[in-house]
Amino acid sequence: MSPALSFPAAYPPKQGLYDPANEHDSCGVSFVADLTAVPKHSTVELGLVALECLDHRGATNAEPNTGDGAGILTQIPDRFYREVIADLPPVGYYATGIGFLPPRDRSPDGVVKVKSAIEAIVEDEGLRVVAWREVPVDPSGLGHQALDVMPSFWQLVIASPVHDGTPLAGVDLDRQAYLVRKRIEHEVSATSGHQAYFPSLSARTIVYKGMLTTAQLSTFFPDLADERFESALALVHSRFSTNTFPAWPLAHPYRFIAHNGEINTVKGNRNWM
């Protein structure tokens, strides 16, 4: 048994898989996977439990219900989406992601303009918009700082045109969705006058994240509590930034990773050297 830790930390000696040299501050990351590769809601639940256990790794300020960021990456829960979105193509033949669009209460026409700009990009890249779905959220537990800058949340589903004899799927569709997402980031603000951000846009994975504490994620996005929301993996992250302000897009995970360090300081250190 490891000795009790005092403050300042008196770390246990190196033993088994534990090495005190790996002790670091800030952020928290966890990964859950089902070795049978069968999508289950219990895997998502375990990921959310692991996330809440990382609460001490996440930042808040004087307003304890405004967090620095928390999120989860899972496989696309096809069974769930198929029951809440009509006319979905077969699994793997559609890409989807949750867009952070302008808040409707402060910018009534912003969502319409941004959607129109996004749809033009999707069509220009040879794809089609299958559906838009407004993602249900419960912001009742959020602090004023998070609420003041909260976007609206819209799930976009895209796929190959229905007349395409060889529709894109899997990685091939992901490549095309990547082009769509990058163009959205760089072009939508210029054409619509409003910002749009997609944490992910993929045929394989989906990201739910925000300017939240670890405990707020599962209640803010009711999708995550639905029994039909299934995955064989869950990557979760609790953010503690030491040199940037919190923001909805800056929460982790990202599209493939959840890094656990201040990457932007690496560039600064190299420049100084």
Side-chain angles (χ1 to χ4, degrees):
M1 180 179 293
S2 301
L5 298 182
S6 61
F7 185 85
Y11 296 125
K14 183 177 179 180
Q15 53 189 296
L17 296 177
Y18 174 77
D19 187 337
N22 294 325
E23 291 284 352
H24 298 288
D25 291 331
S26 56
C27 292
V29 63
S30 183
F31 184 79
V32 178
D34 189 310
L35 296 182
T36 66
V38 176
K40 300 172 184 173
H41 183 64
S42 58
T43 302
V44 180
E45 289 181 319
L46 282 173
L48 294 171
V49 169
L51 179 62
E52 291 198 34
C53 291
L54 297 173
D55 181 62
H56 65 292
R57 292 287 192 175
T60 59
N61 58 16
E63 188 176 61
N65 51 357
T66 291
D68 204 8
I72 184 171
L73 178 148
T74 70
Q75 292 174 311
I76 288 178
D78 179 72
R79 183 168 76 96
F80 171 61
Y81 288 155
R82 200 163 293 281
E83 294 187 22
V84 297
I85 302 173
D87 302 321
L88 276 186
V91 61
Y93 285 85
Y94 66 90
T96 186
I98 297 172
F100 292 5
L101 273 57
R104 288 197 297 177
D105 56 343
R106 294 189 292 275
S107 179
D109 62 342
V111 172
V112 175
K113 290 181 178 179
V114 167
K115 280 186 177 181
S116 177
I118 290 173
E119 288 170 0
I121 291 172
V122 171
E123 183 179 358
D124 192 50
E125 289 297 335
L127 301 174
R128 65 183 175 97
V129 173
V130 176
W132 285 101
R133 169 185 176 244
E134 186 168 13
V135 179
V137 296
D138 178 6
S140 59
L142 269 58
H144 292 295
Q145 293 178 68
L147 288 171
D148 287 346
V149 292
M150 187 180 78
S152 61
F153 304 88
W154 292 85
Q155 183 178 1
L156 171 66
V157 182
I158 60 177
S160 293
V162 290
H163 55 74
D164 194 333
T166 55
L168 296 174
V171 177
D172 293 328
L173 181 54
D174 271 356
R175 290 193 185 101
Q176 206 66 18
Y178 170 82
L179 297 177
V180 170
R181 180 175 61 77
K182 296 303 289 184
R183 288 188 61 185
I184 289 172
E185 291 178 9
H186 291 285
E187 299 175 23
V188 165
S189 61
T191 56
S192 72
H194 299 275
Q195 295 287 338
Y197 172 81
F198 278 80
S200 65
L201 188 58
S202 170
R204 296 176 291 170
T205 60
I206 188 82
V207 171
Y208 285 73
K209 72 176 189 178
M211 193 171 153
L212 307 164
T213 66
T214 60
Q216 289 172 338
L217 182 69
S218 59
T219 54
F220 183 78
F221 290 111
D223 283 5
L224 298 174
D226 195 296
E227 292 289 335
R228 299 167 295 178
F229 196 105
E230 299 165 326
S231 176
L233 61 88
L235 172 67
V236 296
H237 189 278
S238 173
R239 184 172 186 261
F240 194 131
S241 172
T242 57
N243 61 7
T244 56
F245 287 109
W248 285 87
L250 293 183
H252 305 195
Y254 299 128
R255 288 96 194 185
F256 282 98
I257 62 170
H259 75 76
N260 215 33
E262 294 288 3
I263 287 180
N264 50 339
T265 61
V266 173
K267 182 178 179 181
N269 291 339
R270 286 175 176 165
N271 288 342
W272 277 108
M273 291 176 68

